[in-house]
Amino acid sequence: MVQAALRSALVTVLPDLELIACRSVDEVLGVLSSDWQEVDLVLLDLTMPGTDGFAGLFLLHSHYPTLPVAIVSARQDAATIQKAITFGASGYVPKSLDLPEMARAIGAILEGEIWTPPRVGAETADPDAAMSARLASLSSQQLRILTKIIEGKLNKQIAGEMEIAEQTVKVHVSAILKKLGVVSRTQAAVLCERLLSTSARDAG
């Protein structure tokens, strides 16, 4: 039903659009791998299969840092919305919006606006805001390396997969640990997983 509502809203904004529906984050990445520059916007559900909370957003930005990605979710608390924007989302569209509101929101995002629901106040701000900002400060290369650290891969494996020198990986790992304020790869992985999943838990 939500997908049908999104389709109706998008057709209202862009009658000639081409909409590609994906059932998982892996499927999204597969579509983008062919020609991501032809994609104007990705609408990402926080509970899409293959993702845990903001992990999907994190993964997409690590591969396609300039591609606009907006979050679609049933969750509407200010902390979750603010964290999404901190992590680079181009907007946050609640599933509860009626079709005209959804159309306006998506239209604004397509025009380059960072759209969030009205009345998102600082009084319920994300308690992890400072640490989330540190994570968001990582470069796209560092984000890709961090995703592989979370997967438990060693520097040599990361270097081979990314086709870069192992010494380059070591330099990036050191920079990642410094930016996150941790002293080990394990601490970085645990911190990252907590930041990406805590606020989005039980989101729909």
Side-chain angles (χ1 to χ4, degrees):
M1 290 181 67
V2 173
Q3 189 176 107
L6 284 171
R7 184 182 294 273
S8 296
L10 285 166
V11 168
T12 301
V13 179
L14 295 170
D16 300 322
L17 71 84
E18 178 184 358
L19 182 64
I20 303 173
C22 298
R23 293 168 293 183
S24 68
V25 172
D26 285 341
E27 194 172 333
V28 175
L29 289 170
V31 170
L32 294 175
S33 67
S34 59
D35 196 357
W36 70 271
Q37 291 178 319
E38 293 298 316
V39 177
D40 294 309
L41 176 66
V42 173
L43 295 173
L44 181 68
D45 194 322
L46 288 178
T47 57
M48 175 178 279
T51 185
D52 175 21
F54 293 106
L57 176 62
F58 182 84
L59 187 61
L60 286 170
H61 272 309
S62 70
H63 286 278
Y64 305 101
T66 62
L67 178 65
V69 180
I71 297 297
V72 178
S73 178
R75 188 158 183 171
Q76 301 182 58
D77 62 282
T80 299
I81 294 170
Q82 289 169 356
K83 179 170 282 189
I85 301 306
T86 298
F87 285 154
S90 296
Y92 194 101
V93 182
K95 293 179 181 179
S96 61
L97 293 182
D98 58 32
L99 283 181
E101 288 179 306
M102 196 174 285
R104 285 193 292 271
I106 294 171
I109 295 169
L110 286 168
E111 290 294 322
E113 180 181 334
I114 305 297
W115 192 93
T116 59
R119 301 179 298 279
V120 176
E123 67 276 2
T124 51
D126 175 17
D128 290 322
M131 191 57 69
S132 296
R134 288 190 182 189
L135 181 59
S137 73
L138 299 179
S139 68
S140 59
Q141 186 87 315
Q142 290 168 348
L143 287 174
R144 290 185 65 193
I145 290 173
L146 183 54
T147 60
K148 295 181 184 299
I149 290 174
I150 294 171
E151 294 170 1
K153 294 179 178 177
L154 303 175
N155 288 349
K156 186 175 182 179
Q157 294 173 301
I158 295 172
E161 291 184 9
M162 296 182 63
E163 298 182 342
I164 57 178
E166 186 174 351
Q167 183 58 38
T168 301
V169 175
K170 291 179 180 179
V171 171
H172 279 305
V173 170
S174 295
I176 290 167
L177 298 183
K178 184 176 181 180
K179 284 186 177 181
L180 296 182
V182 296
V183 297
S184 71
R185 298 160 66 98
T186 300
Q187 288 181 348
V190 170
L191 174 65
C192 185
E193 289 179 330
R194 177 176 68 81
L195 290 174
L196 292 177
S197 64
T198 299
S199 290
R201 193 171 295 139
D202 298 325

